[in-house]
Amino acid sequence: MAIGFRIHNRAKVASRDLVDSFAKLPVANVSDAMSRMTAAGPTLRPMHVSGGMAGVAVTIKSRPGDNLMLHKAIDMAVPGDVIVVDAGGDLSNALMGELMLAYAVKKGVAGFVLNAAIRDVDAFVATNLPTFAAGVTHRGPYKDGPGEINVPISIGGMVIDPGDIMLGDSDGVLCVPLADAEEILAKTQAKQDAETKQMQAIADGTNDRSWVDAALKKLGCAFPET
């Protein structure tokens, strides 16, 4: 077996209904429902203008600066896929630009998460396909391999398995493990409902703030004498 240079199919993928349910929720609230323990790090930032991302992960482990496997992953992609690349965070060479972007749009790719650089930024802005990357450089990639498609990868300590749910918005990127997705969705929806009620209480002027002083007193904070 060619360890480090191989392509797999995904054994399981998240359903469209499940992905659509997550797409309606803020990434920050999903993160809270996951105990705030998972993140891809602050270096992955939106390269598109606006809008959220939700889709099913196609994972790539790539040699830094090489996009051969990224080309193959776009060929393999089906509508609604998010292509996620662990290229070590190297910014010396861009892994994709406007030509690959145009092809991905034609294929129905839902977004990209690249622990690497891109180029042709104006095309990403104009197309507005959700794309999160670590940087920008005009220097192009190599196409020699090796690399792997649909294997477990890690970006900033966040583990992504092929078929997991990938989410992104202006706050960043998050992977929801498929095995825990239903439980995480229920917890996130409960949090979202609670925040909706709290926002209404703020608007009505009935928001209860007594918890702040209670927390300070419990911690032994000294208050001014009245």
Side-chain angles (χ1 to χ4, degrees), residues 49-197:
V49 177
S50 63
M53 177 186 74
V56 181
V58 174
T59 61
I60 305 168
K61 185 179 291 185
S62 173
R63 179 170 68 89
D66 192 287
N67 75 352
L68 179 60
M69 287 308 208
L70 178 53
H71 274 281
K72 179 59 179 176
I74 299 175
D75 285 342
M76 294 170 61
V78 299
D81 281 344
V82 172
I83 297 178
V84 190
V85 184
D86 171 20
D90 183 81
L91 304 180
S92 300
N93 300 83
L95 288 198
M96 65 178 292
E98 63 178 335
L99 294 177
M100 295 175 72
L101 177 63
Y103 178 45
V105 170
K106 184 70 173 178
K107 290 278 291 183
V109 171
F112 286 92
V113 177
L114 306 166
N115 193 16
I118 63 167
R119 66 177 181 177
D120 302 329
V121 175
D122 289 346
F124 286 87
V125 171
T127 303
N128 202 35
L129 180 72
T131 301
F132 298 81
V136 176
T137 180
H138 55 80
R139 291 172 55 176
Y142 301 99
K143 296 176 175 61
D144 304 309
E148 298 181 294
I149 296 177
N150 287 328
V151 295
I153 62 174
S154 175
I155 299 176
M158 182 177 73
V159 176
I160 306 107
D161 285 316
D164 283 348
I165 298 171
M166 292 302 302
L167 305 175
D169 62 19
S170 298
D171 287 334
V173 174
L174 181 64
C175 174
V176 178
L178 179 55
D180 301 320
E182 294 282 2
E183 180 181 354
I184 293 168
L185 178 62
K187 289 182 177 180
T188 306
Q189 189 60 63
K191 179 175 178 58
Q192 184 74 6
D193 293 345
E195 286 195 357
T196 299
K197 292 179 181 179

Side-chain angles (χ1 to χ4, degrees), residues 4-18:
F5 205 5
R6 55 189 175 178
I7 297 169
H8 299 282
N9 292 320
R10 293 175 293 189
K12 296 180 180 180
V13 298
S15 70
R16 185 71 254 171
D17 287 345
L18 191 55

